Amino acid sequence: MSATDLLIRNARVVRPGDPATDDPEPVDIAVTAGIVTRLEPDLPAAQADRVVDAGGLLAFPGVVDAHQHWGIYQDLSADTDTESRACAQGGVTTSLTYLRTGRYYLNRGGAYRDFVPEALDRMAGRSFVDHALHLAPMTAEHIAEIPALVRDFGVTSFKIFMFYGGHGLHGRSADQAGFLMIPPSERYDLAHFEFVMRGIQEARQRFGPGLSLSLHCETAEIMTAYTELVEREGRLTGLRAYSASRPPHSEGLAITMASYLAHETGLAPINLLHLSSAKAVAAALTMATAFPQVDFRREVTIGHLLADVDTAHGLGGKVNPPLRERADVEALWRHLLAGEIDWVVSDHACCRDEQKFGPDRADIFAAKSGFGGAEYLLPGLVGEGRKRGLALSRIAELTSWNPARRYGLPGKGAIAVGYDADIVLVDPDARWTVHAADSESAQEYTPFEGFEMNARVTDVFLRGHRIYGDGRVQGSPHGRYLRRDADPHTASRPR
């Protein structure tokens, strides 16, 4: 029996937070039983079952995409298959997907003790990447279930959608009660958000500090008023109209309210999701100064870093929060380069053409929100980031190390001895054009259509299994559901 299952030779390994690896020397990576065992030059190939020559390509740790939405618009089983394939194309080896009760996803209300097993059963054996769940407590019953979700299912991260209850997923709506599928005696509002925070804080005191809360920060009342204003005036169309209907100060106001509630409830670990504008990031930074005891993390998406209301390809770029003006894109990059953003995600939500658009394909308010993009996450950030002076080691932090640490994934986040052999080979000099037809996703369009990319993922390994290479997804699904521990000290792995 060979001492090594896989040997990757001549790989220029990028280490999160290590500037010395911004121009790394080639080394060999030895993998046994899915774990990295050695990182040295000139390891003996004769002791390896399989040998892959990286040819001097960059080796990034597998991307931990901390924000996806499997099953939101199509059956969760089918979505797990096709969208995990798209993940592999983009170097994503771990997907953390948001699920909730209500319309979409499993289209059901009720307790999570019934919902989660069904979701896990639909995903089982179908994913090409490892995966974990974030859950949104929509009802008082869900808040009471938080300890059981931690104990029984290893769910340690939760979410609040701040605009639900007062504004529709795709625009104005008078049917939020039916959409949310909550009991008629309950409301999904600021008071509920406070009680969610208190429930998570109580669970942290019982299980450990590894629990966190993520928030989609937009303000329903502001969006409802501005949607009516934009539609009444009729001056704006397309993605610019949608951005105006959900203005940036709506994000800033929601961030301010959420931050004060975190201060009031004593809940420290707060993740502010998909900040899309200069005003949103400014509010987030202001709140971090106002409440230094709150452990904030700030997230942006690759879509908001690459596309704006003018450059996105058509109304397929409708998403929440919206794509913004170019000035906001540049502001996000300034904050990213200043070290004020903690991770970059895809917010991948496959929405097929027949679901995405209304009868009038030019009506932005009739279109559904969300699009895929995991397949462009790492190549997009490497290509555009290097042009702007973003260090390779910082890219590894933003895409892998930081989200893995925050969300309790001790075996993920780095190419290092003792860690899962989740490895992505990247050609930093490749040039290619995005076409939706080339994607493994079930989505037939992309807002990135025609975008020029300046880096390419060539090979992806999940725990030593080659899941992408030669321009296609390889083999059968090896992805596992990852149960997480609420106490990071008991879930540590050597670095």
Side-chain angles (χ1 to χ4, degrees), residues 461-472:
F461 299 87
L462 173 69
R463 289 178 279 103
H465 297 284
R466 192 183 193 187
I467 61 172
Y468 183 79
D470 299 323
R472 60 185 179 86

Side-chain angles (χ1 to χ4, degrees), residues 120-144:
L120 295 181
D121 183 64
R122 293 194 188 190
M123 299 166 77
R126 295 177 178 273
S127 178
F128 284 81
V129 302
D130 286 350
H131 46 283
L133 300 181
H134 310 288
L135 293 175
M138 308 300 294
T139 65
E141 180 181 30
H142 292 165
I143 298 173

Side-chain angles (χ1 to χ4, degrees), residues 2-5 38 44-49:
S2 299
T4 301
D5 298 330
R38 296 179 70 182
Q47 298 181 12
D49 287 341

Side-chain angles (χ1 to χ4, degrees), residues 105-322:
Y105 301 104
L106 300 188
N107 284 307
R108 58 178 290 182
Y112 275 131
R113 64 178 174 271
D114 302 317
F115 181 100
V116 174
E118 180 179 345
L120 295 181
D121 183 64
R122 293 194 188 190
M123 299 166 77
R126 295 177 178 273
S127 178
F128 284 81
V129 302
D130 286 350
H131 46 283
L133 300 181
H134 310 288
L135 293 175
M138 308 300 294
T139 65
E141 180 181 30
H142 292 165
I143 298 173
E145 286 187 288
I146 288 172
L149 292 172
V150 177
R151 181 187 63 244
D152 298 339
F153 300 108
V155 174
T156 61
S157 46
F158 300 89
K159 183 176 182 179
I160 286 170
F161 302 83
M162 290 189 70
F163 70 92
Y164 282 6
H167 198 73
L169 178 59
H170 313 298
R172 282 187 300 166
S173 174
D175 185 32
Q176 284 304 88
F179 168 67
L180 296 177
M181 296 184 185
I182 61 177
S185 60
E186 297 196 28
R187 294 177 60 85
Y188 193 80
D189 57 12
L190 282 170
H192 177 75
F193 306 160
E194 176 186 333
F195 297 141
V196 169
M197 291 185 179
R198 293 192 185 280
I200 295 171
Q201 179 60 8
E202 290 176 6
R204 291 181 74 242
Q205 293 169 349
R206 176 177 172 184
F207 292 100
L211 303 183
S212 68
L213 176 66
S214 301
L215 295 109
H216 180 138
C217 294
E218 292 184 279
T219 312
E221 294 84 354
I222 296 293
M223 295 191 301
T224 297
Y226 272 77
T227 298
E228 181 179 348
L229 180 64
V230 169
E231 290 184 313
R232 183 173 67 248
E233 290 183 345
R235 294 186 300 104
L236 302 176
T237 59
L239 297 178
R240 180 165 277 108
Y242 194 62
S243 178
S245 77
R246 302 173 81 111
H249 71 273
S250 168
E251 288 186 87
L253 179 58
I255 289 165
T256 303
M257 291 188 290
S259 300
Y260 190 86
L261 284 179
H263 160 71
E264 171 65 21
T265 60
L267 180 61
I270 295 293
N271 312 308
L272 301 173
L273 303 182
H274 44 41
L275 304 175
S276 73
S277 62
K279 289 182 178 179
V281 181
L285 295 173
T286 299
M287 291 299 100
T289 300
F291 303 118
Q293 76 280 12
V294 179
D295 180 18
F296 289 105
R297 295 290 186 273
R298 294 173 288 272
E299 170 190 288
V300 298
T301 80
I302 193 64
H304 288 102
L305 288 172
L306 295 183
D308 61 45
V309 292
D310 292 315
T311 61
H313 183 76
L315 301 193
K318 181 178 178 179
V319 68
N320 300 331

Side-chain angles (χ1 to χ4, degrees), residues 59-89:
F60 280 90
V63 173
V64 177
D65 190 347
H67 193 150
Q68 296 196 5
H69 294 273
W70 290 0
I72 183 171
Y73 292 122
Q74 67 174 347
D75 176 75
L76 180 58
S77 300
D79 228 26
T80 299
D81 177 12
T82 60
E83 305 320 298
S84 70
R85 289 172 176 269
C87 286
Q89 280 187 293

